[in-house]
Amino acid sequence: MLNRRQILAALGTTTLASLAPSALFAAGSIKPDDASALLVIDVQNCFLPGGSLAVKEGEQVVPVINKMAKAFSNVVMTQDWHTPGHVSFASVHAGKKPFETIDLPYGKQVLWPDHCVQGTDGAALSKDLSIPQAELIIRKGFHKDVDSYSAFLEADGKTTTGLAAYLKSRKIKRVFVAGLATDFCVAWTALDARKAGFEVYVVEDACRGIDNQGSLAKAWADMAKAGVKRIQSADIAVSA
Ligand SMILES: [Zn+2]
């Protein structure tokens, strides 16, 4: 039997361990089941090297995602899908530069270089993605005056993309989030998935961040607070 002090010490260790990436999961210990879905966020040419809003090392997520996806029977992908002259583009706001912010009716909006315009090559999914079983592609950000980082809700906080209802009707209980960028579309998707009642894992090495003014550390802190589990792709069992 453990005495009280030993129990408290063990609890203290667990609490600390849960703050460190992947400390709670042994390699290959997570086995996605039929109630699990992989959400592949915005792996599009504009966010990859050579793109107009390239995320540093963004291309490195592709082989990690391709490998991990083999463990999932349910995969949903997203595409940022903006109108020309979208409200999130710095180019439509006089005197504003990319990465500055403005106040819109729904809150603060970071301004971006033009990216992922509907029907352009930049908006296409990476040709190196190899996930033939992917069953649904959610397009988001297609309302000209509202951005949508999240795959679940637009930035006004109320317009749904329909993804939560889709996943629930398919009896999905847990989602694994990967893609670009960690601190924007991945984090907002993970946080909204928690709000919608899903168990949520973010696969850290299958994501890359933009890190605009501390946004990456803030995103991880917000996700930890919301109960998002931070794991590595090696924690997921993939049969060869
Ligand atoms: Zn966008």
Side-chain angles (χ1 to χ4, degrees):
M1 284 285 285
L2 295 171
N3 67 32
R4 186 167 173 276
R5 181 170 292 179
Q6 286 169 316
I7 291 168
L8 287 175
L11 285 173
T13 308
T14 307
T15 308
L16 285 175
S18 66
L19 297 173
S22 90
L24 293 178
F25 301 98
S29 65
I30 299 172
K31 295 183 175 56
D33 58 11
D34 287 346
S36 305
L38 174 63
L39 308 182
V40 178
I41 305 299
D42 295 5
V43 184
Q44 295 167 262
N45 294 332
C46 273
F47 299 125
L48 295 168
S52 61
L53 181 43
V55 179
K56 190 163 177 265
E57 300 179 347
E59 79 286 2
Q60 294 183 16
V61 307
V62 175
V64 178
I65 290 172
N66 285 345
K67 183 176 175 201
M68 184 172 67
K70 294 186 201 305
F72 289 85
S73 52
N74 298 297
V75 181
V76 173
M77 304 207 267
T78 67
Q79 256 181 319
D80 215 24
W81 198 251
H82 296 310
T83 57
H86 190 259
V87 71
S88 72
F89 297 169
S91 61
V92 303
H93 302 278
K96 288 289 183 182
K97 291 203 239 357
F99 308 104
E100 293 181 356
T101 58
I102 53 163
D103 292 312
L104 290 179
Y106 56 78
K108 213 166 258 321
Q109 170 73 48
V110 180
L111 297 174
W112 305 106
D114 289 21
H115 65 280
C116 297
V117 173
Q118 297 167 3
T120 61
D121 281 348
L125 293 167
S126 167
K127 63 174 176 29
D128 297 323
L129 278 175
S130 178
I131 315 175
Q133 79 275 30
E135 63 208 33
L136 175 69
I137 296 172
I138 287 274
R139 288 174 168 170
K140 60 186 181 64
F142 51 79
H143 289 128
K144 190 170 187 179
D145 296 322
V146 187
D147 205 0
S148 187
Y149 298 149
S150 165
F152 290 91
L153 280 180
E154 296 189 12
D156 62 4
K158 53 185 189 222
T159 307
T160 176
T161 64
L163 181 56
Y166 171 82
L167 293 172
K168 284 176 184 175
S169 72
R170 300 278 330 281
K171 312 242 182 310
I172 301 295
K173 301 220 169 344
R174 63 196 66 84
V175 297
F176 293 72
V177 191
L180 303 170
T182 318
D183 37 349
F184 290 92
C185 295
V186 168
W188 286 49
T189 295
L191 291 170
D192 281 347
R194 286 294 296 151
K195 284 188 203 141
F198 296 99
E199 190 182 332
V200 183
Y201 298 78
V202 169
V203 189
E204 184 171 18
D205 60 323
C207 303
R208 289 294 183 280
I210 291 172
D211 203 11
N212 182 40
Q213 299 172 35
S215 56
L216 188 58
K218 182 178 186 308
W220 281 118
D222 290 346
M223 289 192 282
K225 203 164 139 198
V228 172
K229 298 184 177 81
R230 180 176 183 172
I231 64 169
Q232 308 300 315
S233 61
D235 299 337
I236 297 171
V238 181
S239 46

